[in-house]
Amino acid sequence: MWAYTARRLLGIIPVLFGISLLVFLFLHLIPGDPAVVMLGERAEPERIAALREKLGLERPLWEQYLFFVGNLLQGDLGTSIFNQLTVKEQLARRWPATFELAIAATLFAVIIGIPFGILAAIRKNSLIDNLATSFSLLGVSLPVFWLGLLLVYLFAVNLQWLPAGGRLSIDVDALFKPITGFYVLDALFQPQTFWDVAKHLILPAITLGTIPLAILTRITRSAMLEVLSQDYVRTARAKGLSERVVIWRHAFKNALLPVVTIIGLQFGTLLGGAILTETIFSWPGIGSWIYEGILNRDYPVVQGGVIFVALVFVVVNLVVDLSYALLDPRIQYR
């Protein structure tokens, strides 16, 4: 397993290199000039040219890319063109918010999706099965931005049960003291702020977790149906084992591989796919940060953010692959 892990870790290098090249080229193909964005369209050409020279934008693209890669190899993600803060510093402030949202959305999908999928498989062709199938189709079809705005309209504007955005209310923000950057965890040490933190997380987590919930329900149902038709399940039932033991100890355990794969892939996808959700709910995470960087033509911010998300995605996939050996001892890595 150690040799396999080492090979996979080495394989991350060309992946990140390819991603950095693609992101760099795509950003420079987008119409717009960072100098014009900073100075305004009515700025004098001389001032624009001077700023482009200062930012190094006058150099050839290949030279700019080599400079970026050289800094990247030294752990330097660059400095924001727009606010002159280092990308590392901004990333350190932003990533806990995105991870907290992705974890909450994943938990929402797992807690509801897996039991729903198991129940649909056990009661195949029943009303519950038809509801699960219809929900799966509906869940993957709903646009995230539409669902987010709908939830805000219903629960924040009309019913006023939950806040429309942000991570804290204004009055609580003055009392709250961030420790780790994960507000739910920090709020455990400041109980008077916990409910406010949790309220702000509910709508974004539901919005972001709906598509993974639908996918997980469908995958769990399919995996369970396949396992329930196996001979060893029929043998377990013939031995007189209770249905609960058959389902949870024999069937579900052997259906976990595809389910775990989907959970890992969806968690990685949530990190990169949270741009719309974070923008709708004014969530100060990596997604909204990258979006602002694209609007401002802030090349270092977008490049650094995308590379960080890609690195996390690759590492999550590696952890999922390694977990297969724990779930199924027959799997060996060479």
Side-chain angles (χ1 to χ4, degrees), residues 78-196:
T79 303
S80 170
I81 293 175
F82 200 71
N83 56 27
Q84 299 303 307
L85 296 175
T86 64
V87 174
K88 264 188 190 178
E89 180 183 348
Q90 296 181 77
L91 193 58
R93 288 204 313 264
R94 295 272 189 164
W95 77 266
T98 295
F99 269 69
E100 185 173 69
L101 179 57
I103 291 171
T106 303
L107 288 175
F108 169 71
V110 169
I111 291 172
I112 298 178
I114 291 180
F116 202 18
I118 293 174
L119 194 58
I122 295 173
R123 302 185 179 181
K124 184 181 178 182
N125 297 326
S126 66
L127 176 61
I128 293 178
D129 187 22
N130 292 331
L131 286 175
T133 304
S134 301
F135 173 77
S136 298
L137 181 61
L138 180 64
V140 297
S141 303
L142 290 176
V144 171
F145 66 88
W146 181 85
L147 178 61
L149 293 174
L150 179 63
L151 291 176
V152 169
Y153 178 74
L154 288 177
F155 295 101
V157 178
N158 276 359
L159 299 175
Q160 297 184 359
W161 289 352
L162 298 169
R167 298 184 76 186
L168 286 171
S169 301
I170 296 176
D171 55 337
V172 176
D173 190 32
L175 303 174
F176 187 78
K177 296 180 180 179
I179 303 172
T180 64
F182 293 88
Y183 279 17
V184 173
L185 182 61
D186 295 342
L188 293 176
F189 302 98
Q190 305 167 64
Q192 71 275 15
T193 64
F194 183 82
W195 174 234
D196 188 76

Side-chain angles (χ1 to χ4, degrees), residues 1 36-37 53 154 163 181 208 215 243 265 276:
M1 181 181 289
V36 175
V37 173
E53 182 70 29
L154 288 177
L208 190 61
I215 295 173
E243 191 66 12
L265 291 176
L276 286 174

Side-chain angles (χ1 to χ4, degrees), residues 27 287-299 301-302:
L27 279 175
S288 58
W289 178 53
I290 292 176
Y291 175 70
E292 292 168 3
I294 294 173
L295 293 181
N296 295 328
R297 303 298 185 271
D298 201 336
Y299 299 151
V301 164
V302 180

Side-chain angles (χ1 to χ4, degrees), residues 23-45:
V23 172
F24 181 86
L25 292 177
F26 286 152
L27 279 175
H28 285 79
L29 289 174
I30 297 175
D33 188 334
V36 175
V37 173
M38 293 177 67
L39 297 177
E41 295 183 357
R42 297 185 179 181
E44 299 176 357

